[in-house]
Amino acid sequence: MERLAFTVIIPARMRSTRLPRKMLADIAGKPLVAWVAERARAAEADQVVIATDHQEIADAVAALGWKVCTTSPDHPTGTDRLAEAVDLLSLGDDEIVVNVQGDEPLIDPALVRKVAGELALRPNAAIATAAHPIDSAATFFDPNVVKVVVDTAGYAQYFSRAPIPYARDAFAQSRDSLPAGFPAYRHIGIYAYRVRFLREYASLSPTSAEKFEALEQLRALGHGHRIAVAFWTGAMEPGVDTQEDLDRVRKVLSAG
């Protein structure tokens, strides 16, 4: 079996409206972003790189031995930051990069590796991501939960905050539960990219669907790029967005 080769890049911005300086929040003696890097290393990535626009983050993680890539503070999206990072790292067009968010210290290393592996198996895809089955009507109808419809070959057809696909007959009777066998999937926001796509991304114009849905991945679909979807049934640990999230993570990681 061919060895799975991939790089993990962790975008780490200092600015955060809900939890200022969260990337450097202390958890059991280490900054939050360092815990994320350890999860990425446990996924057996060839290299783990923290891409940051802030010297304080760069200094903190470099002191712990992590590779750092200093990027511009002006990037509008994390994908743009990755695109600069792959050039600074001189990665080849066919290499695979997994974007792991810097505020997910409990992410399962197996999920990181699974998304990288999905892209490696699908040469026609520019991106791979993940989805988790939805079994709750409340979750399905929640606009804060992004849904994805997947075709028979395992590629994303569309992502939306709307309830898709829509069970017309069943929901005409009741929206309190989902019908048996209903293919409802929650999108998990982790991505593996071919470096070639990241270099092209900056030239892609935003699409109307992307702007109205506020979903960046629709830009790739709108310009004809294929997104492979890995199905994940393991636990989905939430990231750190609030002080309550940080307190919960501190309790979990301190106990471990």
Side-chain angles (χ1 to χ4, degrees):
M1 181 182 294
E2 187 175 344
R3 188 180 72 86
L4 177 59
F6 65 100
T7 292
V8 169
I9 299 180
I10 304 169
R13 296 167 67 249
M14 184 64 86
R15 295 190 300 276
S16 173
T17 53
R18 286 193 282 179
L19 187 60
R21 298 176 59 83
K22 69 179 178 180
M23 291 295 161
L24 295 179
D26 182 271
I27 301 175
K30 287 182 288 194
L32 182 152
V33 69
W35 286 95
V36 180
E38 290 187 6
R39 293 281 173 151
R41 182 167 58 192
E44 300 179 26
D46 289 79
Q47 62 176 336
V48 177
V49 183
I50 291 99
T52 184
D53 60 359
H54 201 281
Q55 193 61 45
E56 195 174 347
I57 294 175
D59 291 344
V61 294
L64 295 172
W66 295 105
K67 187 169 184 175
V68 179
C69 184
T70 303
T71 55
S72 166
D74 300 324
H75 291 304
T77 69
T79 310
D80 291 293
R81 191 173 308 284
L82 255 67
E84 181 187 2
V86 299
D87 283 339
L88 292 171
L89 295 166
S90 300
L91 298 183
D93 279 350
D94 293 325
E95 293 189 60
I96 291 173
V97 167
V98 180
N99 177 5
V100 176
Q101 297 301 318
D103 60 1
E104 296 194 25
L106 299 179
I107 191 168
D108 192 326
L111 174 60
V112 177
R113 190 168 179 83
K114 186 175 182 67
V115 172
E118 190 71 26
L119 187 56
L121 289 171
R122 295 179 178 272
N124 293 329
I127 304 170
T129 189
H132 192 279
I134 295 175
D135 56 13
S136 156
T139 300
F140 182 66
F141 287 103
D142 183 348
N144 295 311
V145 174
V146 177
K147 276 70 68 175
V148 57
V149 173
V150 183
D151 69 16
T152 55
Y155 294 94
Q157 291 182 295
Y158 193 69
F159 298 84
S160 184
R161 299 179 185 281
I164 60 169
Y166 196 82
R168 185 195 63 178
D169 295 340
F171 292 151
Q173 301 298 317
S174 171
R175 298 195 351 171
D176 293 335
S177 62
L178 302 180
F182 186 54
Y185 294 98
R186 176 181 194 146
H187 177 230
I188 304 172
I190 182 171
Y191 297 95
Y193 299 96
R194 295 195 194 283
V195 168
R196 180 182 294 105
F197 170 81
L198 287 171
R199 293 197 165 111
E200 182 183 347
Y201 178 80
S203 67
L204 301 179
S205 57
T207 65
S208 295
E210 171 196 356
K211 288 186 282 189
F212 282 101
E213 291 261 24
L215 295 175
E216 186 184 329
Q217 63 270 36
L218 292 176
R219 186 180 311 182
L221 285 184
H223 286 276
H225 293 281
R226 303 186 81 181
I227 301 177
V229 179
F231 293 100
W232 177 253
T233 56
M236 291 193 303
E237 297 288 352
V240 175
D241 289 320
T242 66
Q243 184 62 48
E244 291 74 20
D245 294 335
L246 181 59
D247 293 340
R248 172 182 53 81
V249 167
R250 279 175 171 153
K251 187 177 297 184
V252 171
L253 293 176
S254 296

